[in-house]
Amino acid sequence: MTVKEAAAVVTAYEDTNNRANARRDAKLLASVEAGQLNVQSQADYEQFRTWPKKKQAYYGSGFRYTHREYLIPRKGAASWFAVRATASGAQAGSASLLVFDQVGGAFKLVLAVYAEKTPLPRVAVDKNGFVTPADPGERVGSLAPAELGAAFEDLVETGGKKSGAELASTPVVKDAVKLYADRDRRDNSRYATNRFFAKPAKDPSVYALRLAGGGVLVAFPSAHTLETMLRPAYRSSYKINPDTEEAVYNREGRVVITDEFQGQALATLSPSGKARVLAREYRMVDSR
């Protein structure tokens, strides 16, 4: 793939995405988007009517990817390419990593993670301008790219007592551990318990690139559920009422509400030192 061809793919995605978002056309969006990103976009469309008018207007307005840097593997090295870019409207200096993979014979955007607070590291480029994919199953330090999702979800399930202990204490990791620590300090905690459980991602595909100076940049999926359950003393006479977004999927009050969250994230792996999770994007995609 040439830079010109990659640029055409990105521009076609922008145009189609903008049209689809303006009218919440899921079928149109699926013509240029797939994977974990599309799972999140479908949830956005489903929950759109519950959002404030200002958020609805922003979501329906057009956007562009600027300051693009095309990260293209040598022919035959991978079925995908990546783009480092800034979304219009994003804060100055914030970058996103976009991954386009071949799905059904066409390139579609499958992952898009926005690193708003942490600069993205420089990817290794050979003398011809090509990047080098890394094997998702090959360990770099204590974790392989394909193990990052489970390690990250261990943070919300156990507070990082298992594989999550292999992750460095970045702001994203601290936020995840705080979710675990505060699970029973929520507003409903007098009446209910809250527990997180790691779950399989809808699309398990992991994408990894060699970094300049060593190490690997990884775009990976992860997922979990949040189970809110009435304490035994209240189960005979009370039900938990879903909030407006949960009610999109199930309006009934119930003893247990299970919300499903599908996510995507960025991390770096180093031969020395712990893996560093730089950014993550999550959406609630179901409530039952």
Side-chain angles (χ1 to χ4, degrees), residues 72-74 77 80 123-126 130-134 208-211 216:
I72 302 173
R74 187 178 294 278
W80 54 275
V123 174
V125 179
D126 68 18
F130 294 110
V131 299
T132 303
L209 286 170
R210 299 288 177 190
L211 290 172
V216 173

Side-chain angles (χ1 to χ4, degrees), residues 24-63:
R24 273 80 62 203
D25 188 332
K27 184 176 181 180
L28 177 61
L29 185 62
S31 69
V32 293
E33 191 177 278
Q36 202 72 350
L37 176 62
N38 192 246
V39 172
Q40 294 182 332
S41 296
Q42 297 285 343
D44 286 343
Y45 286 4
E46 290 166 342
Q47 298 167 33
F48 182 86
R49 61 182 172 80
T50 71
W51 296 353
K53 294 298 182 183
K54 186 175 181 179
K55 184 177 178 180
Q56 290 181 354
Y58 178 79
Y59 192 86
S61 62
F63 80 100

Side-chain angles (χ1 to χ4, degrees), residues 182-194 231:
D182 292 347
R183 66 197 185 284
D184 279 336
R185 298 192 191 107
R186 293 168 171 254
D187 291 344
N188 62 14
S189 296
R190 177 182 173 185
Y191 307 98
T193 58
N194 298 282
R231 296 182 185 276

